[in-house]
Amino acid sequence: MIYTISDLTKIYGARTVLDIPRLEIEKEHIYALLGPNGAGKTTLLNILGLLEAPTAGQVQYCSRPIRYSESELQSLRKEVVVVDQHPILFTTTVYKNLEFGLKIRKIPKKERARIIDESLDMVGVRYFSKALAPNLSGGETQRVALARALALSPKVLLCDEPTSSVDIENQNIIINILRRINEIKKITVLFTTHDRSQAARLAQHTIVLNHGKLVPTMYENIFRGVLQQDQSGQVQYIIHDKIHLPITQDHIKNRNGAVSVFIDPEKIELILLAEDQSNRKALHGRVVQMIEENGKIRVVVDAGVWIALLISKKRYDETRPLVGEYIGIRISAEAIQLL
Amino acid sequence: MDLIVDSFISAILLVISLDAEMVVIVGVSLKVSCTSTVFASLIGVPLGFIMAFGSFHGKRMLITVLNTMLALPTVVIGLFVYAFISRRGIFGVFDLLYTQNAIIIGQTILIIPVVTAFTIAAISRIDERYRKTAKTLGANRRQTAWVIFREARFGIVAAIIAAFGRVISEVGISMMLGGNIKGFTRTMTTAMALEYDKGAYTLAVALGIVLLTLSFGMNLLFHFFQGRVRSQ
């Protein structure tokens, strides 16, 4: 493992932005860090990039706990580089931007020139070498920032939303660069993104954060709602006044003020409306999206809110849902997790 | 009206002919102003940089005090320095009063707050991402500071130019500490005041033209560097 995180918390003022009991990151793999805005992705990236210290807990790098002394951080930072969501280049030439980190590492001049050319080649912007960095476009800046990081041959490359501020053409180029540097240079890559499909295309592992906590899968099935007791004393979880979910006493006991729920897409049952005649508890909704994912079928249903299901191919063959068709979904208490 | 037109024409001729007395006065002005600007920059730029870059207790208060000192009247500084360098002052033995060095001391005190405050403003304007980028690329504290300094260079140059503009046009300190001695401590502004008292406008207007030209040049430079800051 290149990183092992245990009992990490990061608190700003009175707000806990990260609360991660355990997280391991494997060497030479690509990780996607998914989550909505404010989930704590950038904070985690900065902690892994040794730019911020956690409020509590331990981060191990290459099986050694980080102590956060300035001298230790400085030497570790020579192995870990963070590329910002909107990277900034020094107001000088592209060449000198790449030279900066190499000079710090006391690389001889000739060697510096070779590495710079190679790095610019790798991201396909060698012809910009003499150009003034502030004159570059967003996509070019992003690529030069990647080259500047690559020139330092880091063990870990941490990219914050590497494709969010660039056009489609540059998005594909950047994705390919990240894939190549992982394959060729064996650099561990961790990038944050909002884009689930990009994460699936590029990453071997996906980490999902919501409100600073790790959640078991994609954040699409996370909802905010209220707990309400009906006349019979039964507690229900209500989303947008429309959807009533069954809640067990265990859920309420474990509730620590949170009002968000996660519904495990693999535990949601898909039923045809014909099958639902005898069962009034099923939610009805329209199929809006279907995609094959790791041997299963992901079905997204609009039931007032968008709910994603992961069904087996067998169940898919049995039910054959179509996009635009109305179907039923059944959510049991076991599928619900209070966050 | 004739007086103004006549004085103006005579003054232009004086400037064109590079009148010896006028050249000496301009020379003294430039010498003391340049020297005090250099000293104030040597003190104010690092001071401003440390205040902007570092984090310490009472930083905001210190900046407020500094900003207040921007409005310090030249006569107050003149009086203050006079108390120290007059024969009865603690630095009286150095015999500084009515010398160019006395003007330089006073002017340096006058513009240290200008250079410092403008340097703080220049450094504070620098995008926080530069610091983060330098750190993640492996820079230590000193190397990170250098990156910030380099990025703020145009703003710092603009600070120095603004300070020079302030001293070249001041009159209180030059008059009180220099004494307006002909050929020695007579600067453009003190000479203009004297010529006005004498009712001899030609040299005063000529010096005014030189002073305005210099100020215009300084402002052009200032805006050039300010423009570079904005385009960063």
Side-chain angles (χ1 to χ4, degrees):
Chain A
M1 292 297 156
I2 198 147
Y3 286 105
T4 308
I5 286 176
S6 35
D7 300 321
L8 179 140
T9 54
K10 180 74 186 179
I11 300 168
Y12 290 126
R15 206 166 71 91
T16 303
V17 290
L18 275 182
D19 181 7
I20 301 175
R22 190 156 183 91
L23 176 66
E24 290 182 334
I25 291 169
E26 246 177 288
K27 212 177 260 186
E28 296 171 14
H29 283 219
I30 304 183
Y31 283 77
L33 183 53
L34 276 159
N37 284 336
K41 301 188 300 285
T42 303
T43 308
L44 179 58
L45 206 75
N46 285 341
I47 288 174
L48 295 174
L50 311 152
L51 295 170
E52 275 184 61
T55 310
Q58 195 184 63
V59 181
Q60 286 188 16
Y61 176 76
C62 292
S63 307
R64 277 184 46 228
I66 300 168
R67 282 187 195 84
Y68 295 96
S69 69
E70 196 50 43
S71 60
E72 188 191 24
L73 287 177
Q74 230 169 275
S75 79
L76 289 180
R77 277 188 205 127
K78 290 186 177 158
E79 298 181 3
V80 181
V81 182
V82 180
V83 178
D84 251 331
Q85 181 177 1
H86 303 288
I88 199 158
L89 301 177
F90 304 130
T91 44
T92 176
T93 61
V94 166
Y95 187 93
K96 286 193 171 164
N97 264 277
L98 268 75
E99 201 179 28
F100 179 78
L102 297 169
K103 268 185 172 173
I104 286 171
R105 284 159 181 78
K106 297 190 169 52
I107 309 282
K109 197 176 176 182
K110 262 192 175 171
E111 182 68 359
R112 288 205 298 262
R114 188 192 63 75
I115 295 170
I116 292 168
D117 285 348
E118 189 188 297
S119 306
L120 289 173
D121 256 345
M122 194 146 199
V123 299
V125 289
R126 189 166 173 180
Y127 47 95
F128 283 142
S129 180
K130 299 278 180 287
L132 274 175
N135 296 341
L136 303 182
S137 72
E140 290 158 357
T141 300
Q142 189 71 256
R143 283 155 74 182
V144 171
L146 268 177
R148 184 171 63 181
L150 291 181
L152 308 175
S153 301
K155 283 189 182 167
V156 184
L157 180 67
L158 304 160
C159 300
D160 195 3
E161 307 263 2
T163 57
S164 69
S165 52
V166 296
D167 55 30
I168 302 257
E169 190 193 342
N170 273 299
Q171 277 182 19
N172 292 328
I173 291 170
I174 289 163
I175 288 172
N176 285 331
I177 293 166
L178 292 177
R179 189 178 288 133
R180 270 173 52 215
I181 58 167
N182 172 257
E183 279 170 11
I184 300 167
K185 296 201 162 194
K186 301 291 172 207
I187 296 173
T188 307
V189 177
L190 193 144
F191 66 98
T192 65
T193 182
H194 281 96
D195 185 349
R196 247 173 34 80
S197 65
Q198 187 186 88
R201 263 189 296 158
L202 182 59
Q204 291 138 331
H205 308 273
T206 304
I207 302 165
V208 188
L209 274 178
N210 189 57
H211 295 297
K213 292 181 176 178
L214 292 178
V215 286
T217 184
M218 306 305 180
Y219 54 92
E220 57 194 352
N221 273 6
I222 290 172
F223 304 101
R224 285 184 87 80
V226 288
L227 284 167
Q228 217 170 68
Q229 206 164 19
D230 63 16
Q231 287 168 339
S232 64
Q234 188 80 22
V235 180
Q236 284 200 317
Y237 189 85
I238 302 166
I239 304 165
H240 298 323
D241 289 332
K242 290 176 196 159
I243 298 168
H244 293 235
L245 299 176
I247 294 285
T248 64
Q249 286 303 317
D250 266 3
H251 280 134
I252 303 163
K253 245 187 278 169
N254 294 334
R255 181 180 175 270
N256 54 358
V259 287
S260 293
V261 288
F262 164 66
I263 307 171
D264 188 344
E266 294 197 58
K267 290 182 180 162
I268 304 174
E269 207 183 327
L270 184 148
I271 46 177
L272 293 174
L273 289 181
E275 293 174 338
D276 189 38
Q277 298 298 326
S278 57
N279 192 338
R280 284 163 183 261
K281 282 190 178 173
L283 278 170
H284 291 182
R286 199 167 59 88
V287 177
V288 289
Q289 196 181 65
M290 277 199 296
I291 187 170
E292 190 185 8
E293 198 175 288
N294 300 327
K296 293 196 167 184
I297 311 294
R298 174 176 292 275
V299 183
V300 181
V301 178
D302 182 0
V305 291
W306 284 28
I307 299 174
L309 299 72
L310 260 181
I311 59 168
S312 64
K313 275 206 168 149
K314 185 170 169 272
R315 185 62 182 152
Y316 172 74
D317 285 337
E318 285 165 11
T319 52
R320 288 275 167 191
L322 295 169
V323 171
E325 188 187 20
Y326 278 84
I327 57 157
I329 54 172
R330 195 177 291 144
I331 303 169
S332 62
E334 293 79 58
I336 298 166
Q337 190 185 326
L338 250 70
L339 299 172
Chain B
M1 193 65 188
D2 283 350
L3 179 73
I4 296 171
V5 175
D6 288 348
S7 301
F8 194 76
I9 292 166
S10 307
I12 296 273
L13 291 173
L14 212 62
V15 173
I16 292 168
S17 67
L18 291 173
D19 174 74
E21 190 186 353
M22 186 197 73
V23 169
V24 171
I25 293 169
V26 172
V28 170
S29 267
L30 285 176
K31 186 184 165 192
V32 292
S33 298
C34 287
T35 313
S36 57
T37 306
V38 168
F39 284 136
S41 303
L42 289 174
I43 298 165
V45 172
L47 192 66
F49 189 81
I50 291 165
M51 284 175 69
F53 193 71
S55 50
F56 52 89
H57 195 66
K59 179 174 164 176
R60 289 172 77 92
M61 189 63 203
L62 203 58
I63 291 174
T64 308
V65 170
L66 200 73
N67 286 334
T68 310
M69 283 174 69
L70 289 176
L72 211 58
T74 52
V75 283
V76 172
I77 295 173
L79 204 63
F80 177 77
V81 176
Y82 178 87
F84 280 90
I85 64 170
S86 66
R87 289 222 176 270
R88 284 178 298 163
I90 52 170
F91 299 122
V93 287
F94 296 114
D95 216 10
L96 287 166
L97 193 61
Y98 305 134
T99 64
Q100 288 181 3
N101 288 343
I103 304 176
I104 290 167
I105 292 168
Q107 288 188 341
T108 303
I109 294 171
L110 174 73
I111 55 167
I112 282 175
V114 178
V115 178
T116 311
F118 280 29
T119 301
I120 291 172
I123 301 286
S124 306
R125 265 201 303 268
I126 295 300
D127 197 313
E128 186 54 30
R129 286 176 296 166
Y130 282 116
R131 194 192 291 234
K132 189 180 169 188
T133 304
K135 270 167 88 174
T136 198
L137 295 175
N140 59 26
R141 207 172 150 72
R142 186 180 51 77
Q143 288 157 333
T144 305
W146 175 243
V147 166
I148 305 290
F149 184 82
R150 214 178 43 193
E151 293 301 329
R153 59 194 182 275
F154 298 122
I156 292 169
V157 171
I160 295 168
I161 292 169
F164 180 78
R166 178 85 178 94
V167 281
I168 194 82
S169 58
E170 73 80 27
V171 62
I173 292 169
S174 303
M175 191 68 93
M176 290 170 79
L177 302 176
N180 200 18
I181 302 164
K182 190 177 178 183
F184 182 51
T185 59
R186 183 164 295 171
T187 64
M188 283 191 280
T189 49
T190 57
M192 281 166 78
L194 179 75
E195 295 302 304
Y196 163 77
D197 282 345
K198 282 165 36 185
Y201 298 113
T202 307
L203 183 59
V205 175
L207 288 169
I209 291 168
V210 175
L211 190 58
L212 277 174
T213 311
L214 269 171
S215 290
F216 182 68
M218 286 294 128
N219 269 302
L220 276 181
L221 262 179
F222 183 79
H223 285 291
F224 169 75
F225 284 109
Q226 283 288 324
R228 296 294 294 264
V229 173
R230 272 192 285 276
S231 67
Q232 266 181 30

